Amino acid sequence: MEKTSFADKFKILPQAKGCDGKKFHQSPDGEKAWPKKYPFCGGVFQSPIDFHKDILQYDSNLLPLEFIGYNVPSTDQFTLINNGHSVKMYLSPAMSIRNLPFEYTASQLHLHWGNRNKSEGSEHTISGKHFAAELHIVHYNSEKYPDITAAMDKADGLAVLAVLLEIGPFNPSYEKIFRHFWNVKYKDQKVLVPGFNIQELLPDRLDEYYRYKGSLTTPPCYPSVLWTVFRKPVKISQEQLLALETAMYCTESDDPEPLEMVDNFRNVQEFHERLVFISFHEGLVVSILIACILGVLIILAVTFWLLKKKGCKKGGEDNRGVIYKPGMYKEEEDISKM
């Protein structure tokens, strides 16, 4: 069977008006209207936020997460669904994470993105910088609650892992999800995805992350999330990002006026007086690198100076005590001839 290229698939999809995150639940005023129906959306501890140096505090007690059951065999299957405002994949209940206040069981993952003209669809930002997209892996506190529904509105109910996505080389791990988008183009469509190691979707440096208490980024905005946002972004190709931005609609297949699913990210929220705890020293790597370079240069300079000084000293010592008598041998020779 001949494989259809991304370009061919793009031609299939007509340009359409987008239904973005700001029109979530058909709200006429977008995000600003959320609190009218969902009071928590106008409350405290809201997400996403911007990570900037004034709110960051290093915490030496933050440990790398431990992933249990994340490597799901291909004989198992995930369900991928277009729910009208994102693409969501239900995860295995055998998956969990530890090294948090509780053990949390995986529930689902989903994505947030921008549009083909402005690929700045991440929810969290770093020093004001948006990334191309963002992946969320949602877990619930299975030590205290029987399922995600019971945990969702509890202060210690949820733990979400966030991965920032940026443009780079083709990512085969993300393709295990992305290649199925064409089967969930319209709202409520589902497709089965063969199991794989979900940990492949995470960055290499799992020990470097931002940690804070926040909320769901969609209504009802419950302030029930312990966020772990990985510091290092993961790269996907421009073609893969374009597939994410153009493959799906937030309307049903029989809708006469289909709406593209774009810009389904929430704006950055006020942080108030919270702190973000980080597992890494901000700027430490750069500082160490500069210090090492300067140290090497200083050592080389001192070594060169000592060698030069030693050479001069040795040269001076070799000439000491040597008495030159240029006429002595000539004079003795003349006397012997007499």
Side-chain angles (χ1 to χ4, degrees):
M1 183 177 178
E2 187 177 351
K3 185 179 179 182
T4 307
S5 68
F6 282 126
D8 292 335
K9 289 172 180 173
F10 293 147
K11 292 174 185 176
I12 295 170
L13 301 179
Q15 290 284 336
K17 183 180 178 182
C19 50
D20 55 34
K22 299 173 185 61
K23 299 185 179 72
F24 193 92
H25 286 287
Q26 307 301 318
S27 170
D29 300 318
E31 288 182 24
K32 291 180 181 179
W34 288 3
K36 295 176 183 177
K37 188 174 182 180
Y38 305 98
F40 284 109
C41 295
V44 294
F45 299 108
Q46 290 297 291
S47 297
I49 60 169
D50 175 58
F51 301 120
H52 53 279
K53 62 181 182 180
D54 294 339
I55 61 171
L56 304 181
Q57 181 172 304
Y58 173 69
D59 185 350
S60 61
N61 295 315
L62 294 179
L63 301 172
L65 295 176
E66 182 182 354
F67 299 90
I68 311 299
Y70 258 55
N71 193 1
V72 179
S74 58
T75 51
D76 292 351
Q77 293 180 313
F78 304 116
T79 299
L80 186 71
I81 182 172
N82 176 336
N83 64 5
H85 55 88
S86 184
V87 58
K88 178 167 69 173
M89 191 170 83
Y90 293 100
L91 299 174
S92 167
M95 294 172 53
S96 62
I97 50 176
R98 294 176 183 165
N99 283 348
L100 291 169
F102 303 94
E103 182 168 341
Y104 293 80
T105 294
S107 175
Q108 50 97 349
L109 64 77
H110 61 270
L111 291 129
H112 298 271
W113 60 90
N115 63 75
R116 70 184 77 186
N117 298 315
K118 191 173 183 181
S119 298
E120 295 182 354
S122 71
E123 296 204 304
H124 291 90
T125 59
I126 299 179
S127 298
K129 176 189 174 182
H130 271 278
F131 292 80
E134 185 168 330
L135 172 75
H136 292 164
I137 308 179
V138 182
H139 305 72
Y140 70 92
N141 183 345
S142 50
E143 286 190 31
K144 295 183 67 174
Y145 309 106
D147 53 45
I148 192 166
T149 302
M152 189 174 292
D153 61 348
K154 308 301 189 299
D156 57 359
L158 303 179
V160 178
L161 309 183
V163 180
L164 302 168
L165 302 179
E166 65 181 9
I167 301 301
F170 177 83
N171 191 314
S173 297
Y174 274 78
E175 190 64 13
K176 293 174 183 178
I177 298 174
F178 285 20
R179 68 188 179 200
H180 297 282
F181 287 165
W182 316 106
N183 297 313
V184 291
K185 284 196 291 186
Y186 300 101
K187 183 181 178 183
D188 296 329
Q189 289 185 334
K190 301 177 183 179
V191 66
L192 295 178
V193 177
F196 64 96
N197 190 351
I198 299 298
Q199 196 168 332
E200 293 177 7
L201 303 175
L202 306 179
D204 293 333
R205 293 301 302 267
L206 298 175
D207 59 330
E208 295 187 356
Y209 56 81
Y210 304 88
R211 170 73 51 74
Y212 78 101
K213 291 183 178 180
S215 74
L216 299 172
T217 62
T218 55
C221 308
Y222 294 133
S224 57
V225 180
L226 182 62
W227 283 95
T228 300
V229 182
F230 292 105
R231 182 189 189 191
K232 300 294 183 182
V234 169
K235 299 180 186 297
I236 60 174
S237 70
Q238 180 70 61
E239 200 171 43
Q240 287 177 304
L241 179 63
L242 190 57
L244 178 63
E245 294 168 342
T246 61
M248 289 165 287
Y249 297 100
C250 49
T251 47
E252 296 176 352
S253 58
D254 58 354
D255 195 304
E257 296 184 7
L259 299 177
E260 284 187 302
M261 190 186 295
V262 294
D263 299 326
N264 61 349
F265 60 92
R266 189 184 190 188
N267 290 322
V268 168
Q269 303 297 297
E270 290 185 24
F271 198 59
H272 301 291
E273 297 181 358
R274 287 178 283 171
L275 280 177
V276 173
F277 297 98
I278 56 176
S279 63
F280 56 91
H281 288 287
E282 183 73 15
L284 182 62
V285 174
V286 175
S287 300
I288 290 174
L289 185 62
I290 294 172
C292 287
I293 293 172
L294 288 174
V296 170
L297 291 174
I298 291 170
I299 290 170
L300 288 173
V302 171
T303 303
F304 179 75
W305 178 76
L306 289 173
L307 287 172
K308 188 175 181 182
K309 184 177 180 182
K310 186 176 181 181
C312 293
K313 186 176 181 181
K314 186 176 180 182
E317 287 175 350
D318 289 344
N319 292 333
R320 287 177 191 171
V322 178
I323 302 173
Y324 293 97
K325 298 182 179 179
M328 187 159 94
Y329 300 108
K330 180 77 168 69
E331 195 173 328
E332 288 177 353
E333 185 178 344
D334 292 340
I335 291 172
S336 63
K337 288 180 181 181
M338 288 180 63

